[in-house]
Amino acid sequence: MRSASEATFRAVAATWSPRSEAVWTNCLPKPFDFPAVRAELIDIGIDLFSKQGYQQTKVEEIAVAAGMSERSFFRYFSSKDDLVMGKFEDMDDRMAELFAALPDSEPIWVSLEHVLRDIAVGGGQGAHDSADLAIDRIVRSTPSLTARYLDKMSQMQRPLIAAVRARLDSSPGDPRPAAIVGAAFACGMAAQQVWIETDYADTFEHVLAQSMAAVGPSSHLVP
């Protein structure tokens, strides 16, 4: 006597064909792109924050705009703050990659300026896009985000410090890589602050060059 499972198997096997296999395959759950969904939620959130204000925008509204439930939103981000900080994901690795792509013969300070400029202005275009500007305003006007941003800036330095140490071929006990990267980040944050306070009157590239020239040699001629 055949078992029920054997009978089921024989029944399915009898109806198999390339066409039926394709139909069954299409019915299976499709894998989703977790990073892509997060990126889409970030874009939607920033757009709503820009139109309605950060404090006025609810997670439910972001979820609805994305075509998902509020419960589904929390699979990707734990809060609105987490969503905003998601904009800075992987930035530390990108910085290290940019630095590594520059010639070893280039002065380290000049290389760091190139990295900060390219990260900030999307490859030297001279201005942030509207999403970046919105993020800047939100982060600086929200205390909880400001604190997390400063912590993130500290974390971002670590891969760059390692890259600078490799170029210098220095030991872990050498303080120069951390000092150089920390000084460059301070110049970058000072430039960003001035740029925002002056309502973006100048290009960020030029403001950054001025800031970094005050501390070390610059890749630009700054009057």
Side-chain angles (χ1 to χ4, degrees):
M1 182 175 180
R2 296 173 182 172
S3 65
S5 59
E6 181 182 359
T8 301
F9 173 80
R10 289 180 177 275
V12 171
T15 61
W16 180 90
S17 69
R19 178 178 176 81
S20 64
E21 181 179 15
V23 170
W24 277 102
T25 300
N26 288 333
C27 291
L28 295 174
K30 301 298 186 296
F32 61 92
D33 190 336
F34 189 84
V37 175
R38 281 174 62 92
E40 182 180 1
L41 284 170
I42 290 171
D43 290 341
I44 291 171
I46 292 172
D47 182 60
L48 289 174
F49 299 153
S50 301
K51 293 175 180 177
Q52 304 176 177
Y54 181 71
Q55 300 296 346
Q56 291 73 27
T57 302
K58 299 178 180 179
V59 167
E60 180 184 6
E61 294 175 289
I62 300 172
V64 169
M68 65 173 62
S69 67
E70 185 174 356
R71 183 175 180 177
S72 293
F73 172 92
F74 289 117
R75 295 175 183 171
Y76 301 94
F77 296 104
S78 61
S79 64
K80 288 192 303 180
D81 283 10
D82 192 33
L83 181 147
V84 172
M85 296 310 298
K87 188 71 175 178
F88 303 102
E89 281 182 351
D90 304 323
M91 192 175 287
D92 45 2
D93 291 333
R94 298 208 311 270
M95 285 183 169
E97 290 170 2
L98 285 169
F99 185 88
L102 295 169
D104 289 346
S105 58
E106 185 174 69
I108 290 175
W109 190 253
V110 174
S111 294
L112 289 172
E113 180 182 342
H114 288 160
V115 169
L116 292 174
R117 180 197 65 201
D118 290 353
I119 282 290
V121 301
Q125 297 175 3
H128 286 316
D129 61 27
S130 58
D132 288 330
L133 297 178
I135 285 290
D136 285 340
R137 289 191 290 266
I138 291 168
V139 167
R140 292 180 181 278
S141 62
T142 309
S144 60
L145 287 174
T146 301
R148 289 189 62 177
Y149 175 76
L150 293 175
D151 182 62
K152 182 63 176 176
M153 288 299 102
S154 177
Q155 294 177 32
M156 283 184 192
Q157 295 181 38
R158 294 171 187 168
L160 265 182
I161 291 172
V164 170
R165 178 173 289 113
R167 188 185 289 189
L168 289 173
D169 193 23
S170 64
S171 68
D174 185 351
R176 292 178 300 165
I180 295 169
V181 172
F185 266 68
C187 288
M189 294 180 70
Q192 185 181 45
Q193 180 69 32
V194 169
W195 192 57
I196 292 172
E197 290 177 351
T198 56
D199 200 23
Y200 320 110
D202 200 349
T203 65
F204 180 80
E205 181 180 23
H206 186 253
V207 178
L208 176 65
Q210 288 180 309
S211 179
M212 296 197 72
V215 178
S218 176
S219 60
H220 300 269
L221 294 176
V222 182

